[in-house]
Amino acid sequence: MKYLDALIIGAGFSGLYQLHCLRDKLKLNTLVVEEGKDIGGTWYWNTYPGARCDSESFTYGFTFSEKIFKNWTWKERYPKQNVILKYLKYFSNELKLKKNIVFNEKVISAKYIEKNNLWKVQTNNKKKYYTKYLICAVGSLSSINVPKIKGINHFKGQLHHSGRWPRKKINFKNKIVGQVGTGSTGIQIAPEIAKRAKKLILFQRSPNFSIPARNRKLTKKNIKNYKQNFKKLRNFLKRTPGGHPFEFPKKSAFDFNETKRNLLYEKSWQYGTLSFRATFNDIVKNIKANQTAVNFIKSKIYSTVKNKKYADILTNFDHPFTAKRPTLNTNYYEMFNKKNVELVDLKQSPIIKITKRGIKTNKGEYILDKIIFATGFDALTGSILKLNITGKKGINLSKFWSKGPKSFLGLLVPNFPNLFIVSGPGSPSVLTNVPVQIEQHVNWITNCIKYLEKNRKKSIETTNLAAKKWQKEIMNSVKKTLFMKAKSSWYKGDNIPGKPKTFLPYPGGMPKYKSECIKVEKNKYKELKIS
Ligand code: NAP
């Protein structure tokens, strides 16, 4: 049994920075409990072939310390999974974080003991911790979604989910591989498997929009430039809606004739990065402007993919561009010109079951050596609810969120005093370049705890009213976007059977969100319950 000031669950980006802030700045007795064998969070688990971040490397890290920022050098435009892990190890070594982290320990429950104002946290190793503050830093995309397909346990070959990729290298040589899922992950894995396997059969349910990443080595000049402009860059990232190094222009798609508009799209297409959506200011909010982007992307797919049937399947979009998370790719569309790649349209021929030998659709059985599920996550709420958290009066978080997550700013939950969530539902989280949002969140939590400690307070809790108002703000903000026009998206919880259907992240942009957070802090948390 151990008594702590603060216990942080998860040793990814958020947990590591939160540990530094509470331990080193506030001098609190802090411990991180991590399920994995090492630090990294998302980047510890997602080791699948092709795993790489879609954010540009020089923006994908912490900016609170100029020294830490400048002493690390990103060498490619987009960082590979193992490079991000190396970065986090560098970060952790610089701040000597590991000594306050326990690994291989999974939190199985957390219960608030009202009479002592303490959280009792239990782990799978039968360890018990008592802590004043409990911080969920479990990541938005951690709880994997393995679809409940009939017969899944009967398959005799190997079956892997991208989010729990084995550490041991998998041999694809001479193998027939079936891959289910064509989101950000699937679009990264497939071209890599196609290079190695005898055959790749890709099972697509819905096509996703994908823009060429155009990864490249950073030149010495690029590196010098981003380091020299550290302060400018930091301020810029914090000012933009998504924490990315681009802004939306003033011009509408309709300020140009079709020829000029397509020239501008072409320029963005050649440039790569997630900034394609910012070619014009109205792509993400006006359905007609959006359609011009859709038409351009479709024309690119048709001019790349030689097999017309495949091009039709890949362009059969059921959502506006950006209504689901747009993806970046390296040779994804080009891959369909390879002889060893087959595309199966699950809209035409749905999967009936998984057999001993492979995948059976209503058009026949595909014999496979391996199956890869790139089927995503129970996003934003899944990893938090798995912790089995019980607040005041025995209220369980799963029950309290049974109709969707209720929180204030995604940070605090009514009935759950001194529980803080980093990048949780109700915050901009997955709609941003996540480390930028994490830094803002952790700073807010740290300042809040500092206030409580300085004023010798026992606890802080949000009210139901504040949570309701915030939920209303989320719903009002989402109306100004195209997100709800996606038939099915994990942003709305559609990918998990039985999950409440509600828009999960805050879509109003980081500057607006941040100003709300600052207001609460400046107001000395008056709209919250402090005792
Ligand atoms: P995802 O976007 O949820 O995609 C899951 C894919 O699996 C979709 O194509 C989905 O089809 C399909 N699928 C799910 N269940 C299925 C079933 N029962 N049968 C057939 N197909 C099924 O998951 P993800 O690709 O892992 O990405 C999740 C998020 O992680 C991304 O949106 C992104 O935010 C983040 N991510 C980022 C990067 C990066 O930065 N490079 C890389 C990977 C992931 P439907 O579309 O029809 O549902």
Side-chain angles (χ1 to χ4, degrees):
M1 197 145 42
K2 201 165 176 185
Y3 284 87
L4 301 160
D5 295 321
L7 186 145
I8 299 162
I9 311 173
F13 268 89
S14 12
L16 293 174
Y17 180 45
Q18 187 70 79
L19 170 61
H20 166 59
C21 289
L22 296 182
R23 186 195 68 180
D24 304 334
K25 293 187 182 162
L26 304 192
K27 309 288 176 216
L28 296 183
N29 177 15
T30 308
L31 182 78
V32 175
V33 177
E34 165 59 51
E35 180 185 351
K37 278 190 190 146
D38 208 339
I39 61 168
T42 291
W43 299 106
Y44 170 83
W45 297 106
N46 285 268
T47 57
Y48 59 81
R52 198 182 276 280
C53 184
D54 284 348
S55 295
E56 289 184 82
S57 57
F58 63 95
T59 69
Y60 201 73
F62 295 108
T63 58
F64 67 91
S65 156
E66 188 164 354
K67 182 178 152 245
I68 289 178
F69 180 88
K70 286 192 172 168
N71 284 349
W72 174 264
T73 301
W74 297 104
K75 295 194 175 133
E76 281 186 286
R77 191 181 201 186
Y78 304 94
K80 237 177 151 172
Q81 171 270 338
N82 64 340
V83 175
I84 301 173
L85 266 193
K86 276 188 196 150
Y87 166 76
L88 287 174
K89 282 182 183 162
Y90 151 77
F91 178 76
S92 164
N93 289 342
E94 284 292 298
L95 298 168
K96 301 187 175 45
L97 296 176
K98 268 198 175 174
K99 61 182 177 185
N100 293 86
I101 306 175
V102 289
F103 294 103
N104 297 308
E105 239 182 84
K106 184 176 169 176
V107 170
I108 55 166
S109 72
K111 193 170 189 294
Y112 190 66
I113 317 284
E114 276 184 79
K115 66 174 192 294
N116 305 328
N117 290 296
L118 283 177
W119 282 97
K120 178 183 171 188
V121 178
Q122 288 187 276
T123 73
N124 61 337
N125 296 349
K126 297 202 167 66
K127 290 247 184 77
K128 275 186 206 148
Y129 301 97
Y130 287 89
T131 179
K132 180 170 177 186
Y133 303 107
L134 179 63
I135 293 111
C136 280
V138 288
S140 314
L141 298 158
S142 308
S143 176
I144 62 168
N145 170 35
V146 179
K148 291 185 178 55
I149 301 174
K150 197 173 146 195
I152 194 164
N153 296 324
H154 297 158
F155 182 57
K156 292 280 184 231
Q158 283 180 328
L159 201 152
H160 302 291
H161 190 285
S162 53
R164 285 292 178 278
W165 201 259
R167 289 338 236 197
K168 228 172 116 192
K169 207 167 176 202
I170 303 174
N171 183 13
F172 289 103
K173 205 169 167 197
N174 295 325
K175 303 289 182 214
I176 303 177
V177 182
Q179 180 185 315
V180 182
T182 52
S184 303
T185 304
I187 283 175
Q188 285 187 327
I189 298 183
E192 291 301 315
I193 304 297
K195 276 188 221 164
R196 303 173 201 187
K198 181 171 161 193
K199 183 161 188 179
L200 170 69
I201 305 176
L202 193 55
F203 296 86
Q204 175 198 283
R205 192 164 63 182
S206 342
N208 236 308
F209 292 94
S210 195
I211 311 296
R214 307 211 187 276
N215 187 36
R216 57 174 167 77
K217 290 239 178 323
L218 293 180
T219 61
K220 279 191 181 146
K221 201 172 155 201
N222 294 146
I223 295 168
K224 194 172 160 201
N225 193 30
Y226 86 68
K227 287 195 183 187
Q228 264 179 357
N229 286 306
F230 163 71
K231 286 201 175 110
K232 227 165 127 188
L233 174 71
R234 178 170 65 182
N235 294 339
F236 186 80
L237 294 177
K238 289 182 178 174
R239 228 179 43 226
T240 64
H244 286 289
F246 59 82
E247 276 181 306
F248 282 80
K250 295 225 161 48
K251 295 279 183 191
S252 150
F254 299 113
D255 286 339
F256 304 92
N257 65 28
E258 195 181 347
T259 311
K260 178 72 182 149
R261 186 164 56 231
N262 282 336
L263 275 173
L264 291 168
Y265 276 134
E266 182 65 33
K267 203 171 154 206
S268 297
W269 187 264
Q270 292 308 327
Y271 181 72
T273 81
L274 292 168
S275 66
F276 185 87
R277 70 179 87 156
T279 307
F280 303 108
N281 72 6
D282 43 1
I283 295 174
V284 298
K285 45 190 185 195
N286 175 326
I287 195 73
K288 284 191 178 147
N290 192 280
Q291 192 57 46
T292 66
V294 171
N295 292 343
F296 179 84
I297 297 169
K298 277 186 172 181
S299 74
K300 283 294 184 186
I301 298 171
Y302 275 107
S303 65
T304 307
V305 179
K306 293 188 185 127
N307 180 325
K308 163 86 168 49
K309 194 181 110 197
Y310 287 179
D312 287 344
I313 299 170
L314 290 164
T315 52
N316 187 19
F317 299 115
D318 62 359
H319 61 283
F321 172 58
T322 72
K324 284 163 85 164
R325 162 71 150 76
T327 72
L328 296 185
N329 78 83
T330 301
N331 297 329
Y332 179 66
Y333 294 118
E334 291 79 356
M335 173 194 80
F336 293 98
N337 298 331
K338 286 187 161 200
K339 285 203 175 76
N340 68 334
V341 176
E342 183 177 344
L343 179 63
V344 176
D345 183 5
L346 296 181
K347 285 260 160 72
Q348 290 296 321
S349 48
I351 295 176
I352 298 170
K353 63 175 180 176
I354 292 181
T355 64
K356 273 198 284 196
R357 304 187 307 170
I359 292 179
K360 190 168 181 188
T361 71
N362 67 0
K363 292 225 173 106
E365 187 182 11
Y366 295 83
I367 312 294
L368 305 167
D369 297 307
K370 294 173 198 288
I371 298 177
I372 295 172
F373 279 127
T375 44
F377 303 89
D378 181 355
L380 287 136
T381 52
S383 46
I384 299 170
L385 294 179
K386 269 191 179 163
L387 300 170
N388 185 17
I389 304 178
T390 308
K392 275 172 28 184
K393 298 179 197 132
I395 296 173
N396 189 274
L397 190 61
S398 299
K399 203 156 178 204
F400 189 62
W401 281 3
S402 60
K403 292 202 174 106
K406 295 179 229 166
S407 78
F408 181 53
L409 297 167
L411 282 158
L412 296 162
V413 184
N415 304 306
F416 295 79
N418 290 353
L419 171 76
F420 296 89
I421 303 174
V422 188
S423 261
S427 76
S429 57
V430 291
L431 300 178
T432 68
N433 176 21
V434 184
V436 181
Q437 141 92 114
I438 286 175
E439 215 170 296
Q440 183 264 334
H441 250 196
V442 169
N443 290 342
W444 191 92
I445 294 169
T446 307
N447 286 344
C448 179
I449 293 180
K450 186 175 169 189
Y451 176 85
L452 298 174
E453 290 298 294
K454 196 173 149 208
N455 294 287
R456 297 175 182 283
K457 299 293 182 191
K458 284 186 196 149
S459 68
I460 189 163
E461 185 191 336
T462 183
T463 61
N464 275 309
L465 184 68
K468 261 190 197 152
K469 274 192 189 163
W470 186 243
Q471 191 57 27
K472 216 168 157 188
E473 164 64 19
I474 297 174
M475 295 330 281
N476 285 338
S477 300
V478 84
K479 280 184 201 148
K480 296 174 198 155
T481 72
L482 300 176
F483 288 124
M484 298 306 268
K485 293 201 182 294
K487 264 195 201 150
S488 158
S489 105
W490 61 260
Y491 288 159
K492 300 188 277 137
D494 298 312
N495 63 332
I496 304 293
K499 186 165 174 165
K501 307 289 175 261
T502 177
F503 196 75
L504 293 162
Y506 173 67
M510 278 209 330
K512 171 109 193 282
Y513 176 79
K514 201 173 146 195
S515 77
E516 293 293 324
C517 292
I518 292 172
K519 225 190 296 170
V520 180
E521 203 179 310
K522 281 204 171 142
N523 244 344
K524 299 212 163 39
Y525 313 96
K526 280 205 179 85
E527 53 270 80
L528 305 174
K529 287 193 263 179
I530 293 189
S531 59

